[in-house]
């Protein structure tokens, strides 16, 4: 999970700089260019093909791919949406410095992906929602939680996810090939914007599936080359443990290979990634990423049935087992890239960067259009909503370009670390609210809101303390307060989750409960209910059908843009964007495919447990 991984490498990494790198003097070979050109051609072909065949003129068609996606592109998209260029660099770099324990961040995802498919998605489908803030609004009522979650999600996407991927991807391009930072990034953003704006979620998911194939195939190719050079796993163990840097700190183990470098479970007190935190604290952050974040959940909500959503979760879980072997361990191996292979590695990084960005762009557009803009303009036509969603993507592209000089002007890694550490302080309260919403019908709006606010305050206090004290260099005494020096951030996530849950429970019990008729199909226990639900948010927002009947603009440029985006055909404006057909909200599954999904889910967990035990 990228959000937490970068935090894991956060303020504990010293000496890393975000300034512009020196000229590498690397010559670009024709084979490298050929690989990159072929990659871009295939991406554009897949993007155009998926855009043309997608239903792009309705809210459901654009933001949820018409709920027509099958399990395999969903699973591939779950993988590529999460594995951005920042994760590639973060996993490889942290593996080189500290060993294989960071791979536990990837293996932990299998458990919460199963929870997504078997616990959370059935509730979301039964509720008939498109966005996660919309679910909280239906579950608790009111608008303040919905607005808070929408704004917070957009802030986190812009200031953490987009900045991470843009920064790491652009730096890789500049360092490895010596290309101009701004030009190469602008080209990347332009290509991603074309099919994201035109095709919506369907185009994003299909291109994500292609990007996943590129990432996995390219990374495995480089993995086999790297392992063959060091003598496979046994040779890696010997060479890594004997790799002593030329500069060390006297009378310390600083910069030396860790004695537990090849163990996942490390000391619960002194370990850099203590095993209770890795197993339990990380699950708190992973639940936020995989079960409540719009970027991930939106892919599963596009499934044509619950069985396909479960199958996508299983495939995504299997794919998340791989980065330990094709990113972490190769990161521990010193290797050289030859002509052609440098282009392959660049294609892998471009695939990771583009798939992550398109997913963020599409999900951010969904949140802004349905949770903020449509709230402000309830009578907006469906065509207007589609145009606003696409324009917002273009705004995000411009913001992404403006972010490059901001991060580049920082002369140390601390700004980059600060941006990433935000997620570990804000995620636990969100996880707590969703857990209580799904599993405890007694939780009400007052409890959820004040739980979120209390968790936000406590998290911000910890964040301010983190920013106020310098992390000591290796071998130096730690003069920070005990809450920083002795409480690992994964332990802090557990504490903050428990505190938020206690506040939600206390406030909810002290205030009036939500009547039962408002909770049908909004909790785990009532997901199969057939009773008529009275939504706390009032009647659903509907579009104004008369506005969609307006004639096309006279400008040929505007007409061309509308045709490119598929907005010139008939529209289903009379359908409320947030309301789905009853059959699409059904949790019914064919018995055969339900058993197939259950067996594969159990097999995934068994494989995961075996890997944890083998490397523990």
């Amino acid at each position: 999970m990228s959000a937490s991984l970068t935090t894991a490498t956060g303020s504990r990494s010293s000496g890393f700089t975000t300034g512009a790198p020196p000229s590498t003097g690397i010559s670009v070979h024709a084979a490298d260019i050929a690989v990159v050109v072929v990659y871009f051609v295939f991406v554009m072909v897949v993007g155009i093909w998926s855009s043309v065949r997608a239903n792009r003129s309705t809210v459901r068609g654009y933001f949820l791919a018409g709920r027509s996606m099958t399990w395999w592109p969903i699973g591939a998209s779950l993988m590529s949406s999460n594995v951005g260029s920042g994760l590639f660099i973060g996993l490889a770099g942290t593996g080189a410095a500290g060993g294989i324990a960071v791979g536990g961040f990837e293996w932990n995802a299998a458990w919460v992906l199963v929870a997504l498919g078997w616990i959370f998605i059935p509730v979301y489908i039964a509720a008939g929602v498109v966005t996660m803030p919309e679910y909280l609004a239906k579950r608790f009522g009111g608008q303040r939680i919905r607005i808070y979650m929408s704004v917070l999600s957009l802030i986190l996407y812009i200031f953490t996810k987009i900045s991470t991927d843009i920064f790491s991807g652009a730096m890789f391009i500049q360092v490895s090939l010596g290309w101009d930072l701004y030009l190469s990034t602008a080209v990347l953003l332009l290509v991603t914007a074309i099919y994201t704006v035109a095709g919506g979620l369907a185009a994003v998911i299909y291109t994500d599936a292609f990007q996943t194939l590129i990432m996995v195939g390219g990374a495995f190719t480089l993995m086999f080359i790297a392992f063959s050079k060091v003598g496979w796993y046994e040779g890696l163990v010997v060479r890594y443990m004997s790799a002593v840097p030329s500069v060390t700190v006297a009378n310390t183990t600083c910069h030396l290979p860790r004695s537990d470098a090849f163990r996942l479970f490390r000391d619960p007190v002194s370990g850099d990634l203590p095993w209770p935190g890795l197993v339990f604290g990380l699950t708190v952050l992973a639940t936020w990423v995989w079960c409540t974040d719009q970027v991930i959940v939106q892919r599963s909500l596009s499934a044509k049935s619950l069985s396909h959503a479960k199958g996508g979760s299983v495939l995504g879980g299997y794919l998340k087992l791989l980065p330990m072997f094709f990113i972490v361990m190769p990161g521990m191996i010193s290797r050289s890239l030859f002509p052609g292979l440098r282009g392959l590695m660049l294609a892998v990084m471009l695939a990771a960067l583009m798939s992550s960005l398109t997913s963020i762009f599409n999900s951010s557009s969904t949140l802004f259009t349905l949770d903020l803009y449509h709230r402000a303009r309830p009578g907006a036509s469906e065509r207007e909503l589609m145009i606003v969603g696409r324009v917002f993507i273009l705004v995000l592209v411009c913001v992404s370009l403006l972010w490059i000089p901001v991060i580049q002007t920082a002369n140390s890694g601390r700004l980059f670390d600060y941006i990433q550490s935000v997620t570990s302080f804000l995620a636990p309260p969100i996880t707590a609210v969703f857990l209580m919403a799904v599993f405890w019908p007694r939780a009400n709006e007052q409890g959820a809101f004040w739980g979120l606010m209390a968790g936000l305050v406590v998290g911000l206090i910890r964040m301010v303390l983190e920013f106020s004290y310098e992390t000591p260099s290796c071998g130096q005494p730690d003069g920070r307060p005990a809450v920083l020096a002795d409480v690992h951030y994964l332990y802090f996530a557990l504490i903050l989750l428990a505190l938020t849950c206690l506040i939600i429970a206390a406030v909810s019990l002290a205030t009036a409960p939500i009547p039962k008729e408002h909770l049908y199909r909004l909790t785990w226990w009532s997901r199969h209910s057939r009773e008529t639900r009275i939504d706390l948010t009032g009647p659903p927002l509907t579009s104004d059908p008369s506005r969609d009947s307006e004639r096309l603009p006279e400008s040929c440029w505007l007409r061309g843009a509308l045709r490119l985006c598929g907005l010139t055909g008939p529209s289903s404006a009379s359908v409320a964007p947030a309301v789905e057909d009853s059959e699409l909200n059904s949790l019914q599954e064919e018995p055969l495919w339900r058993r197939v999904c259950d067996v594969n889910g159990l097999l995934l967990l068994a494989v995961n447990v075996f890997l944890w035990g083998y490397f523990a």
Side-chain angles (χ1 to χ4, degrees):
M1 49 179 287
S2 57
S4 300
L5 167 67
T6 318
T7 308
T9 66
S11 57
R12 292 157 182 78
S13 61
S14 58
F16 178 72
T17 62
T18 59
S23 177
T24 59
I26 295 177
S27 59
V28 181
H29 296 268
D32 299 322
I33 297 177
V35 171
V36 174
V37 170
V38 170
Y39 162 76
F40 271 111
V41 169
F42 273 102
V43 168
M44 291 304 298
V45 169
V46 174
I48 294 173
W49 169 78
S50 55
S51 297
V52 170
R53 71 188 300 270
N55 176 10
R56 302 169 286 159
S57 61
T58 65
V59 168
R60 187 168 60 204
Y62 187 77
F63 292 122
L64 286 183
R67 288 201 163 167
S68 61
M69 303 305 296
T70 55
W71 63 274
W72 65 268
I74 292 175
S77 184
L78 288 174
M79 165 74 168
S80 58
S81 298
N82 180 253
V83 179
S85 54
L87 188 88
F88 261 87
I89 294 176
L91 276 177
T94 308
I100 68 171
V102 72
F105 282 80
E106 301 302 292
W107 288 356
N108 182 277
W111 294 88
V112 285
L113 273 169
V114 170
L116 171 68
W118 272 260
I119 296 176
F120 288 89
I121 285 299
V123 176
Y124 299 151
I125 292 178
V129 298
V130 178
T131 68
M132 295 299 93
E134 181 189 2
Y135 168 73
L136 293 180
K138 284 192 173 187
R139 171 63 178 83
F140 294 117
Q143 292 301 319
R144 54 183 180 177
I145 294 180
R146 182 175 191 170
I147 295 174
Y148 169 78
M149 287 296 302
S150 301
V151 173
L152 178 63
S153 297
L154 290 174
I155 291 175
L156 289 177
Y157 292 160
I158 294 172
F159 290 96
T160 62
K161 293 186 178 183
I162 291 178
S163 61
T164 303
D165 288 336
I166 287 290
F167 168 76
S168 54
M171 290 292 285
F172 179 86
I173 293 172
Q174 187 176 23
V175 170
S176 61
L177 295 178
W179 293 353
D180 181 77
L181 187 68
Y182 294 96
L183 179 60
S184 57
T185 306
V187 171
L188 283 176
L189 290 172
L190 178 62
V191 173
T192 57
I194 289 175
Y195 63 82
T196 306
V197 169
L201 184 61
V204 170
I205 288 181
Y206 279 116
T207 51
D208 278 356
F210 174 72
Q211 311 274 28
T212 301
L213 181 65
I214 295 295
M215 281 191 287
V216 174
F220 262 116
T221 300
L222 295 168
M223 179 194 73
F224 281 113
I225 293 174
F227 270 109
S228 65
K229 287 184 174 294
V230 298
W232 305 103
Y233 185 77
E234 294 77 9
L236 169 61
V237 174
V238 173
R239 292 199 181 195
Y240 182 86
M241 299 307 295
S242 61
V244 179
S246 57
V247 179
T248 59
V249 181
N251 301 320
T252 70
T253 59
C254 296
H255 311 309
L256 299 177
R258 295 180 59 93
S259 60
D260 56 1
F262 287 88
R263 289 169 50 191
L264 280 175
F265 284 1
R266 298 181 177 178
D267 190 274
V269 177
S270 61
D272 60 332
L273 288 174
W275 73 263
L278 193 62
V279 173
F280 302 107
L282 178 58
T283 303
V284 175
L285 306 180
T287 301
W288 167 68
V289 169
W290 292 104
C291 300
T292 71
D293 184 39
Q294 182 69 24
V295 171
I296 298 299
V297 176
Q298 192 169 345
R299 274 123 196 85
S300 295
L301 287 179
S302 69
K304 64 196 307 183
S305 69
L306 180 57
S307 294
H308 281 280
K310 290 180 177 179
S313 293
V314 171
L315 176 59
Y318 277 118
L319 291 174
K320 290 297 285 184
L321 299 178
L322 303 179
M324 168 72 88
F325 304 104
F326 64 58
I327 302 179
V328 177
M329 290 183 180
M332 303 166 70
I333 301 172
S334 297
R335 64 184 184 273
S336 59
L337 298 179
F338 299 99
L341 288 182
R342 186 182 297 119
L344 178 61
M345 186 60 186
L346 180 61
V348 171
M349 291 296 295
L350 292 178
L353 172 62
M354 292 175 65
S355 61
S356 179
L357 285 179
T358 56
S359 300
I360 296 169
F361 289 162
N362 182 264
S363 296
S364 299
S365 173
T366 306
L367 289 175
F368 177 81
T369 304
L370 300 185
D371 288 315
L372 297 179
Y373 185 84
H374 201 205
R375 288 284 120 185
R377 282 181 54 82
S381 68
E382 194 154 25
R383 178 178 293 167
E384 179 181 344
L385 295 178
M386 295 296 89
I387 293 175
V388 168
R390 288 165 164 90
V391 170
F392 188 73
I393 293 176
L394 298 178
V395 172
L396 288 178
V397 170
C398 296
V399 170
S400 302
L401 284 173
L402 295 176
W403 252 115
I404 298 176
V406 174
I407 300 177
Q408 199 177 18
T409 53
N411 293 321
S412 69
R414 289 190 61 80
L415 173 62
F416 190 65
D417 297 337
Y418 289 168
I419 292 173
Q420 293 313 304
S421 64
V422 170
T423 56
S424 68
F425 307 132
L426 299 182
I430 299 174
T431 300
V433 167
F434 273 90
L435 288 176
M436 300 290 271
V438 170
F439 291 110
W440 195 43
R442 184 62 177 81
N444 60 18
E445 195 271 348
Q446 295 91 333
F449 178 77
W450 291 113
L452 279 174
M453 294 300 101
L456 175 66
V457 170
V458 174
L460 288 177
I461 292 175
R462 165 85 183 217
M463 185 176 66
V464 171
L465 290 175
E466 287 272 7
F467 297 170
S468 301
Y469 292 89
E470 290 280 347
T471 303
S473 302
C474 185
Q476 299 297 318
D478 194 341
R480 297 177 299 168
V483 69
L484 298 181
D486 300 331
V487 181
H488 195 276
Y489 79 94
L490 291 177
Y491 288 150
F492 179 78
L494 280 171
I495 295 171
L496 189 53
L497 175 79
L499 175 64
T500 305
C501 288
L502 286 175
I503 294 175
I504 293 174
V507 176
S508 295
L509 292 174
T511 52
I514 298 175
K516 188 176 181 180
E517 61 268 20
H518 297 302
L519 298 179
Y520 296 132
R521 295 179 303 283
L522 292 177
T523 68
W524 169 256
W525 317 110
S526 64
R527 67 191 186 281
H528 293 297
S529 174
R530 294 295 181 181
E531 301 289 337
T532 301
R533 182 180 70 234
I534 304 174
D535 282 334
L536 290 166
T537 53
L541 295 178
T542 57
S543 300
D544 185 354
S546 62
R547 297 191 180 186
D548 274 334
S549 61
E550 297 173 356
R551 61 187 181 89
L552 292 177
E554 295 182 0
S555 170
C556 59
W557 293 103
L558 291 178
R559 288 201 304 271
L562 290 176
R563 288 194 175 93
L564 175 65
C565 297
L567 295 177
T568 56
S571 176
S572 57
S574 59
V575 180
V579 177
E580 304 297 337
D581 296 332
S582 59
E583 62 268 18
L584 293 177
N585 295 338
S586 173
L587 300 182
Q588 293 181 356
E589 300 177 82
E590 293 184 18
L592 172 62
W593 295 114
R594 184 178 65 247
R595 286 192 291 269
V596 169
C597 291
D598 292 344
V599 170
N600 277 277
L602 291 174
L603 182 60
L604 168 63
L605 296 182
V607 172
N608 186 268
V609 170
F610 169 78
L611 290 174
W612 275 97
Y614 184 83
F615 289 98

